[in-house]
Amino acid sequence: MGRIVYFDFAAAAILVILLFSIFFRRMYRGRVNGIFIILLFVILLNTVCDILSTRELSFISDPSARNSFRIVISTFYFIFRISEGPLYFLFIAFLTGSWNRLKTHRILGIIFLLPFIACLVLMILNMIFHNVFYYTGDGEYHRAGMVAVLYAAGAFYLLCAFILLLRKSKMLDTEKFIALLSMFVLQILAIAIQLFYPDYLLEMFSMAIMGMLVTNIVLRPEENVDFTTGARSYNAFTKDMQQILLSEQPVSIIFVRLKNNSSLNSLLGNEPYQELLRRISGYMDSNPTDVLTQRPGREVYYMYAGLYAIVIEGRNIEPHVKFEAEKLLRTLQEPFNINQLDLDLDVAVGTVRCPEDISKWDDLITFANTFDRVTPEAEVTNYLTIAPDKQFRLAAEIDNIIGKAIANNSFVMYYQPIYSVKEKAFTTAEALIRLIDDKEGMVSPGLFIPAAEKNGTIHKIGDFVIQDVCRFIEENNLSKLGLHFIEVNLSTVQCMRNTVVDRIGQCLSSHHVDPSNINLEVTETASNFVHDTVRTTIFSLHSLGLNFALDDYGTGYSNLQRVVDMPFNAIKLDKRFVDEWEHPRMRSVIQNTIRMIKDLGEEIVVEGVETKEAAEWFASQGCDYIQGFYYARPMPEKEFLHFLMNQ
């Protein structure tokens, strides 16, 4: 009876489909995936050799040449076969983060390689002594006694991989552990069957089935690849870094954050925005420094909300990592052209070493989420330079601080008077929330407001603001204080809350506050947010009688069309105009901006004025209101009332 190769043909078909699937699904990134692809390719070559060794080879007429060809093919079969064990062991080692510790023990490394080297030598000698296999003159295949050495070496590597898998089982979920364990069961069954029934070629088929299990259960491309950017996913970053930290493998990480991520998404729309993310990811993946290009352990991850991570393996590579981080920063600060728009990316870059600087997962993810809040503009921040900084410590604990402030009612309202140029008096004021922590003292709104928008507590904070301002108006007669209204900030996130209109309406009603006593300030980012909910919210609140001002005009992609389309009765010029008013070119821009806004019939508020000269110049240009430290700083309620009574 001839050798049955149908299982080999099935195995070859499965392996080819798997390899195409892996490349089509972008599963080729990463060391683990790379080792697995090599393993699959070796199994495929092994399967092809197995098939060829059983063929009649009628295209070779000379019987001796035919036998020589079979010997070469069978030799390659055994070489590929003995390579599978070490490759599978390496796959388990990299998958569980164990390789870094293993490679530092040279004796273990030598012991690990000896069986493989011995098998290679044995296969070379087989060409002379035929002590592993041979073909008779009629082309019949026979195995010799030394083939047992090859099986023993294979068993050695399978045993090593099995022991490693058992020792590291806690690092894998149950489903993945069982899938990897099935590899051993399948191999043992296939080898046992083929030993007793050598005509049934089952070994390669069992390996192909193993490849299917590992691909779909262990690697899970839908979990480990971010298909928008092509980089590895946040899920992959979480698993990889937890294994790296557990194994104490030395790595350096470059975090890159698009600080204006939300604005870019709003401006571009979904598809162009995703194209931008892909281009950034592609640059990070293909343009490392020359030194880091040579390092096999370099992975690019896209995590979420414009946050990338580049993980680079190795010790004592800080100068190269710093150079690459600075190179990335310079490149990303250059305009990116998307849909014929030249986009300026507001980028923060931070670096950290693990486990030297950070050895715990919670600390690492805290740094990733907060480093951009304390990173100086156009600089690369290293963890060690900001770790002692109070701002970083606050940023790391800000969610807990906000939660405690909400529970303990630690928020207070401050008011900053706003000067009316026409009436030469303070006729309005901006309500500004402050957080006073019992341990940290005053916490900057620039720190806790973005964090509250991100974690969702901004809604509770917004409710407190509107309630307290309404209480203040109810308890104090604004007209007697000389005030026309109080300005209150409304964030983009609040605008997207479908109950915000009802909650503000109920607050006004319960405190008997005339809606005209409150002027809501919406930032330019919010007005630029192309979302029906935001627009609907603004117009619904305006229909209640509330007026609106456009805050921070000039900080983003300023467009006077939005001023026309939205119900704004005042425009607040950003402090950057004030900071640069003395520059001749900027002064011309400011004058033209003021002229355009006045032509639209809008009132103008200038914020951030700190000198007499600036106040007089903006007043001379026709600005209606001036706000800033020159006239008055934000102050608590009692101090604010005393200020108004004595102006």
Side-chain angles (χ1 to χ4, degrees):
M1 173 176 159
R3 302 177 77 190
I4 299 172
V5 295
Y6 301 120
F7 289 107
D8 274 349
F9 282 116
I14 291 171
L15 291 166
V16 169
I17 292 171
L18 276 178
L19 287 168
F20 271 108
S21 172
I22 284 170
F23 281 93
F24 180 76
R25 297 156 82 181
R26 299 179 181 178
M27 293 171 61
Y28 44 80
R29 297 174 184 269
R31 270 194 177 184
V32 173
N33 289 13
I35 291 290
F36 184 66
I37 290 171
I38 293 172
L39 176 59
L40 288 183
F41 193 67
V42 167
I43 296 171
L44 177 60
L45 292 175
N46 205 357
T47 304
V48 172
C49 290
D50 207 23
I51 293 171
L52 289 175
S53 67
T54 65
R55 299 295 85 197
E56 294 295 333
L57 305 177
S58 57
F59 59 90
I60 302 177
S61 57
D62 183 8
S64 62
R66 193 181 303 143
N67 273 3
S68 297
F69 182 79
R70 286 196 177 106
I71 291 171
V72 171
I73 291 298
S74 296
T75 299
F76 276 111
Y77 166 83
F78 280 109
I79 290 174
F80 290 138
R81 195 75 178 93
I82 61 179
S83 301
E84 291 168 5
L87 284 172
Y88 190 70
F89 178 86
L90 289 176
F91 175 70
I92 298 292
F94 282 119
L95 186 68
T96 57
S98 308
W99 178 245
N100 183 65
R101 286 190 175 182
L102 292 172
K103 73 177 182 181
T104 59
H105 294 80
R106 292 186 178 181
I107 296 177
L108 287 179
I110 293 171
I111 294 173
F112 178 79
L113 288 174
L114 274 177
F116 179 70
I117 295 171
C119 288
L120 287 179
V121 172
L122 191 61
M123 291 311 304
I124 294 171
L125 293 175
N126 181 72
M127 305 289 284
I128 302 171
F129 300 107
H130 311 297
N131 51 0
V132 176
F133 71 90
Y134 61 91
Y135 284 89
T136 59
D138 58 359
E140 187 175 346
Y141 172 82
H142 293 277
R143 291 186 176 182
M146 295 301 288
V147 74
V149 175
L150 304 185
Y151 278 99
F156 168 77
Y157 286 115
L158 282 178
L159 181 62
C160 289
F162 180 72
I163 293 172
L164 181 62
L165 181 62
L166 291 180
R167 290 187 62 185
K168 300 297 180 179
S169 59
K170 293 182 180 180
M171 300 180 67
L172 301 166
D173 59 48
T174 304
E175 190 179 21
K176 292 180 180 179
F177 175 73
I178 292 174
L180 292 169
L181 196 62
S182 67
M183 156 66 184
F184 302 98
V185 177
L186 288 170
Q187 278 291 283
I188 292 170
L189 285 175
I191 292 170
I193 293 172
Q194 198 160 328
L195 279 174
F196 289 102
Y197 302 95
D199 291 329
Y200 288 87
L201 306 182
L202 287 171
E203 290 184 59
M204 296 302 99
F205 183 73
S206 71
M207 295 293 284
I209 296 300
M210 177 276 296
M212 290 178 59
L213 290 173
V214 172
T215 301
N216 293 291
I217 298 177
V218 179
L219 299 185
R220 289 181 180 173
E222 67 278 2
E223 292 182 2
N224 297 325
V225 177
D226 180 80
F227 292 103
T228 295
T229 62
R232 288 176 64 76
S233 65
Y234 176 65
N235 181 70
F237 179 80
T238 301
K239 292 187 299 183
D240 293 350
M241 285 308 306
Q242 287 177 343
Q243 289 179 352
I244 286 170
L245 292 171
L246 190 62
S247 65
E248 298 182 355
Q249 178 181 344
V251 297
S252 294
I253 307 173
I254 302 173
F255 287 109
V256 178
R257 167 79 78 179
L258 296 181
K259 298 173 70 173
N260 59 339
N261 178 67
S262 297
S263 299
L264 291 169
N265 194 1
S266 303
L267 174 73
L268 294 172
N270 190 50
E271 291 187 10
Y273 170 71
Q274 291 183 353
E275 171 63 20
L276 173 65
L277 295 182
R278 278 192 294 273
R279 285 179 54 183
I280 294 172
S281 176
Y283 176 81
M284 292 180 179
D285 190 52
S286 61
N287 288 277
T289 64
D290 292 338
V291 173
L292 297 181
T293 302
Q294 307 304 318
R295 306 198 70 84
R298 185 184 184 280
E299 302 288 353
V300 177
Y301 301 81
Y302 179 72
M303 299 173 69
Y304 45 77
L307 178 62
Y308 293 84
I310 303 174
V311 179
I312 306 164
E313 184 180 314
R315 294 187 187 276
N316 304 318
I317 57 172
E318 290 80 8
H320 309 300
V321 171
K322 181 181 179 182
F323 181 80
E324 177 165 341
E326 291 173 346
K327 178 183 173 185
L328 269 173
L329 181 61
R330 289 194 302 270
T331 300
L332 295 178
Q333 285 178 330
E334 296 175 0
F336 268 68
N337 187 277
I338 301 288
N339 275 12
Q340 298 182 343
L341 288 175
D342 285 333
L343 303 175
D344 291 324
L345 307 184
D346 187 4
V347 180
V349 178
T351 63
V352 62
R353 297 175 304 166
C354 296
E356 290 94 337
D357 301 339
I358 293 179
S359 59
K360 296 180 180 178
W361 166 252
D362 289 343
D363 294 339
L364 179 64
I365 204 64
T366 296
F367 174 73
N369 288 329
T370 55
F371 80 94
D372 57 297
R373 300 175 188 172
V374 294
T375 299
E377 189 173 350
E379 291 184 22
V380 173
T381 293
N382 180 266
Y383 173 79
L384 292 180
T385 64
I386 63 173
D389 186 79
K390 179 182 178 181
Q391 285 296 100
F392 176 72
R393 190 180 73 252
L394 288 175
E397 296 293 329
I398 194 62
D399 288 342
N400 293 332
I401 292 172
I402 293 172
K404 186 170 67 172
I406 292 173
N408 298 337
N409 197 25
S410 302
F411 294 105
V412 295
M413 294 308 300
Y414 274 49
Y415 294 87
Q416 184 174 26
I418 299 175
Y419 183 77
S420 169
V421 175
K422 180 179 179 181
E423 299 185 43
K424 300 188 184 312
F426 295 97
T427 61
T428 183
E430 181 176 1
L432 300 165
I433 190 168
R434 295 291 185 262
L435 191 164
I436 303 177
D437 185 74
D438 55 1
K439 178 182 177 182
E440 303 293 347
M442 185 80 75
V443 179
S444 169
L447 189 61
F448 76 80
I449 292 295
E453 290 181 334
K454 186 175 180 180
N455 64 30
T457 54
I458 190 65
H459 301 300
K460 292 183 179 180
I461 294 174
D463 288 344
F464 168 80
V465 170
I466 196 69
Q467 286 282 355
D468 204 64
V469 170
C470 285
R471 175 202 58 78
F472 173 80
I473 295 173
E474 182 182 26
E475 294 177 359
N476 299 278
N477 189 321
L478 290 189
S479 60
K480 289 185 178 180
L481 296 174
L483 301 177
H484 303 320
F485 53 82
I486 300 293
E487 296 185 351
V488 178
N489 290 284
L490 191 69
S491 74
T492 305
V493 178
Q494 287 176 274
C495 288
M496 295 187 67
R497 189 185 189 188
N498 54 16
T499 60
V500 67
V501 177
D502 291 337
R503 296 180 76 86
I504 291 178
Q506 290 171 5
C507 185
L508 293 171
S509 177
S510 63
H511 287 282
H512 310 290
V513 172
D514 188 328
S516 64
N517 289 151
I518 292 180
N519 200 53
L520 295 175
E521 292 186 5
V522 179
T523 63
E524 188 176 357
T525 302
S527 70
N528 184 44
F529 201 91
V530 184
H531 197 292
D532 290 341
T533 303
V534 175
R535 294 179 63 85
T536 301
T537 296
I538 291 175
F539 279 98
S540 296
L541 289 170
H542 187 256
S543 68
L544 295 179
L546 292 156
N547 290 317
F548 279 84
L550 177 61
D551 196 12
D552 298 334
Y553 182 80
T555 59
Y557 301 96
S558 304
N559 187 341
L560 284 174
Q561 185 64 42
R562 293 199 302 276
V563 178
V564 176
D565 291 342
M566 303 294 281
F568 300 125
N569 68 317
I571 307 296
K572 296 189 76 170
L573 299 183
D574 184 67
K575 187 179 183 298
R576 294 184 187 181
F577 284 122
V578 177
D579 293 339
E580 300 180 22
W581 74 273
E582 292 181 290
H583 298 295
R585 290 171 64 87
M586 190 60 183
R587 183 176 295 193
S588 178
V589 171
I590 296 171
Q591 289 172 326
N592 286 323
T593 300
I594 292 172
R595 188 179 304 112
M596 286 188 294
I597 295 174
K598 298 301 289 185
D599 287 344
L600 292 172
E602 308 285 354
E603 293 185 322
I604 297 176
V605 184
V606 185
E607 55 185 346
V609 175
E610 298 182 1
T611 65
K612 178 181 179 181
E613 293 76 16
E616 291 177 347
W617 187 83
F618 278 98
S620 70
Q621 299 304 308
C623 295
D624 302 282
Y625 298 93
I626 298 177
Q627 177 181 357
F629 289 177
Y630 171 67
Y631 286 110
R633 293 175 177 269
M635 55 193 77
E637 182 178 319
K638 290 184 179 180
E639 186 178 333
F640 172 62
L641 290 172
H642 179 76
F643 175 87
L644 292 176
M645 295 294 187
N646 293 277
Q647 66 167 314

